[in-house]
Amino acid sequence: MTEADVDPDTGLSGGVAPPRDNGELVFTAPWQSRLFATTMALRERGLLAWEPFRQALIAHIADHTGSLTSADAYDYWGCWQAALEERLADTGLVAAATLDGRSAELATRPGGHDHPHRGHGHPHLDDG
């Protein structure tokens, strides 16, 4: 492995390195970039130990890719999210029940809406 194979932002390499295109991180949805930024902020503040997170990410990727069929898509950021949630719960930084509750709440919102509908500063077609 060469120095060029190591992701410059995370130090991760190979199949566990974040996806890039022309050297830029690839995010296909806003939540992915927020997830990455949150993870890196926790790391920089010393609240997230990097090696245990890296090991959790490797394990989640292995579990995920090991169960894929040829028609399945690889969900890198879903694995990243699972690894982060695992580490937050394992370290007690955020209770697992809190993570589960917040995930369930966000899952019920329409796509692209990670905020309450009323009184948040911009209109929606169903706002009356």
Side-chain angles (χ1 to χ4, degrees):
M1 176 177 308
T2 67
E3 208 172 289
D5 296 330
V6 177
D7 182 82
D9 294 316
T10 64
L12 299 171
S13 60
V16 298
R20 289 186 177 269
D21 185 21
N22 278 341
E24 298 293 322
L25 287 166
V26 174
F27 304 108
T28 58
W31 70 267
Q32 296 168 346
S33 61
R34 289 192 295 269
L35 175 70
F36 179 79
T38 298
T39 304
M40 300 311 285
L42 289 168
R43 177 185 181 195
E44 289 169 10
R45 288 180 175 89
L47 298 171
L48 177 69
W50 194 247
E51 185 57 23
F53 169 78
R54 189 179 79 79
Q55 291 301 321
L57 179 60
I58 290 168
H60 282 280
I61 289 172
D63 288 347
H64 182 72
T65 57
S67 64
L68 292 178
T69 67
S70 60
D72 290 331
Y74 173 50
D75 182 10
Y76 178 83
W77 294 111
C79 292
W80 184 289
Q81 177 183 357
L84 179 60
E85 289 178 354
E86 176 184 306
R87 296 307 309 145
L88 292 175
D90 285 353
T91 61
L93 192 57
V94 179
T98 301
L99 288 169
D100 291 343
R102 184 69 174 139
S103 293
E105 178 186 325
L106 291 173
T108 63
R109 293 188 179 160
H113 292 87
D114 58 356
H115 52 266
H117 258 194
R118 302 267 181 222
H120 62 292
H122 64 266
H124 293 272
L125 293 175
D126 63 345
D127 285 350

